[in-house]
Amino acid sequence: MRSSAEMGYAPRCSMAPWLSVRGGARAVEFYQTAFGAAVVFRLDGPDGGVVARLSVDGAEFWLGDESPEHGNFSPESLGGGTVRMVLTVADPDAMFARAVQAGATQVVPVAEMHGWRVGRVVDPFGHHWEIGRELAK
């Protein structure tokens, strides 16, 4: 049997976070509204749980309902998260405002700092998002 590389297919290396949430279906709706996310893949379980792969202008991430039995806990269960997402966009002010209007809470307002125009929100599921762009040098 020929390998995928021998057949001309070589998967590109990528890394995408997987966010554990309470209320996966609501989370998909929130990220669509807040960030304009497109659903690339979605699996709805018989128990109402959701696993979804989302894309914001080609930047992908996954989300799924928390499953403590598998060691996947949402920030709500842990009392906070251990990872902060960095969403780099052309217009951080507009994306930040869109996220807040969709239900995110401002943590740090958008401002220029450290060579970036950036602000931070926490989404309704407890995940923190830095929304910004690097400033021209």
Side-chain angles (χ1 to χ4, degrees):
M1 178 171 222
R2 294 173 50 196
S3 71
S4 58
E6 292 172 322
M7 294 187 301
Y9 170 75
R12 70 177 173 89
C13 182
S14 67
M15 185 179 296
W18 184 304
L19 307 179
S20 292
V21 298
R22 287 186 190 167
R26 283 187 352 237
V28 169
E29 291 173 13
F30 170 79
Y31 295 123
Q32 288 178 305
T33 302
F35 301 142
V39 176
V40 177
F41 171 85
R42 180 173 173 155
L43 179 63
D44 291 273
D47 62 351
V50 171
V51 169
R53 181 170 135 205
L54 303 176
S55 174
V56 178
D57 270 347
E60 293 187 352
F61 66 101
W62 290 78
L63 71 82
D65 282 279
E66 69 178 348
S67 55
E69 66 277 13
H70 297 111
N72 299 321
F73 299 94
S74 74
E76 292 172 290
S77 292
L78 297 175
T82 61
V83 175
R84 207 180 308 171
M85 301 302 124
V86 178
L87 180 58
T88 305
V89 296
D91 187 349
D93 294 272
M95 184 68 79
F96 188 95
R98 181 177 179 169
V100 170
Q101 185 169 3
T105 302
Q106 175 180 294
V107 176
V108 177
V110 177
E112 292 185 12
M113 58 185 108
H114 311 293
W116 281 70
R117 177 124 186 106
V118 63
R120 180 165 33 131
V121 297
V122 60
D123 68 32
F125 309 94
H127 296 284
H128 285 247
W129 295 81
E130 300 274 346
I131 302 172
R133 69 172 169 80
E134 195 169 11
L135 297 172
K137 296 177 182 174

